[in-house]
């Protein structure tokens, strides 16, 4: 029978919570990909113009580009902020952008490259996954460190 003292229980809880964070990040990423993919497949196509580009450095190796795009649809002008989970495309002011706009909400747009008006929500899966992995690694390191001493049951 396995006995759980307070320390072991905290480690197990940390691993479970870390796993939930990783799983939640993966599920959110899949859901956002599905929503954006559907918008690209079924949305109304229009051309927009990049009016502002902002790059944010998140950590040493990660950056996020947020692009403000002007476009017209059904006689109405729109200015929306788009960002991407992967941040692979380099936009500049004045660039033309092919947009796919939601048929029921003209403020929701996406590009085939994955930029979308979900903006910073697209960054949340990576943060959840990273937090979960860090939590699991710290818990396992703590478990390993504890495992080096004599077992309380050996005697």
């Amino acid at each position: 029978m396995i006995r759980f003292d307070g320390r072991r229980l905290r480690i197990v809880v940390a691993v479970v919570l870390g796993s939930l964070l990783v799983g939640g990040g993966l599920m959110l990423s899949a859901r956002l990909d599905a929503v954006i993919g559907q918008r690209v497949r079924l949305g109304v196509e229009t051309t927009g113009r990049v009016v502002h580009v902002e790059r944010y450095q998140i950590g040493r190796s990660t950056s996020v580009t947020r692009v403000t795009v002007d476009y017209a649809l059904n006689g109405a002008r729109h200015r929306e902020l788009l960002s991407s989970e992967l941040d692979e495309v380099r936009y500049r002011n004045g660039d033309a952008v092919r947009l796919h706009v939601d048929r029921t909400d003209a403020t929701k747009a996406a590009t085939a490259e994955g930029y979308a008006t979900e903006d910073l929500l697209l960054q949340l899966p990576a943060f959840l996954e990273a937090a979960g992995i860090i939590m699991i690694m710290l818990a396992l390191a703590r478990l390993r460190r504890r495992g080096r001493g004599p077992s309380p049951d050996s005697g």
Side-chain angles (χ1 to χ4, degrees):
M1 183 162 141
I2 299 175
R3 279 184 21 180
F4 284 104
D5 60 14
R7 188 175 186 157
R8 284 186 181 158
L9 184 59
R10 284 192 299 272
I11 291 170
V12 169
V13 168
V15 169
V16 169
L17 288 176
S19 299
L20 289 173
L21 285 172
V22 170
L26 292 172
M27 287 174 45
L28 179 58
S29 181
R31 178 68 182 134
L32 287 168
D33 287 347
V35 167
I36 292 166
Q38 181 177 8
R39 190 175 305 147
V40 169
R41 283 189 318 280
L42 304 175
V44 177
E45 192 172 314
T46 189
T47 301
R49 180 85 38 208
V50 174
V51 295
H52 186 68
V53 178
E54 296 176 272
R55 286 194 62 76
Y56 295 99
Q57 195 68 31
I58 303 173
R60 284 186 268 176
S61 61
T62 305
S63 63
V64 175
T65 300
R66 296 173 81 195
V67 181
T68 304
V69 178
D70 278 346
Y71 59 96
L73 189 67
N74 299 329
R77 306 249 355 124
H78 298 276
R79 177 174 281 196
E80 300 297 334
L81 188 61
L82 291 82
S83 67
S84 171
E85 184 177 6
L86 298 177
D87 195 31
E88 294 177 342
V89 179
R90 302 282 188 233
Y91 287 113
R92 292 182 303 249
N93 288 344
D95 284 353
V97 179
R98 181 184 292 168
L99 295 171
H100 304 273
V101 182
D102 190 294
R103 292 181 183 277
T104 60
D105 184 352
T107 64
K108 294 185 178 184
T111 68
E113 297 81 22
Y115 278 79
T117 51
E118 278 70 10
D119 193 27
L120 295 180
L121 181 61
L122 290 166
Q123 309 312 313
L124 186 58
F127 286 118
L128 291 175
E129 293 161 15
I133 289 169
I134 290 168
M135 186 177 279
I136 292 168
M137 289 174 55
L138 290 173
L140 294 177
R142 194 168 189 185
L143 181 66
R144 183 175 179 188
R145 189 172 43 237
R146 182 157 197 279
R148 290 189 180 147
S151 171
D153 295 330
S154 64

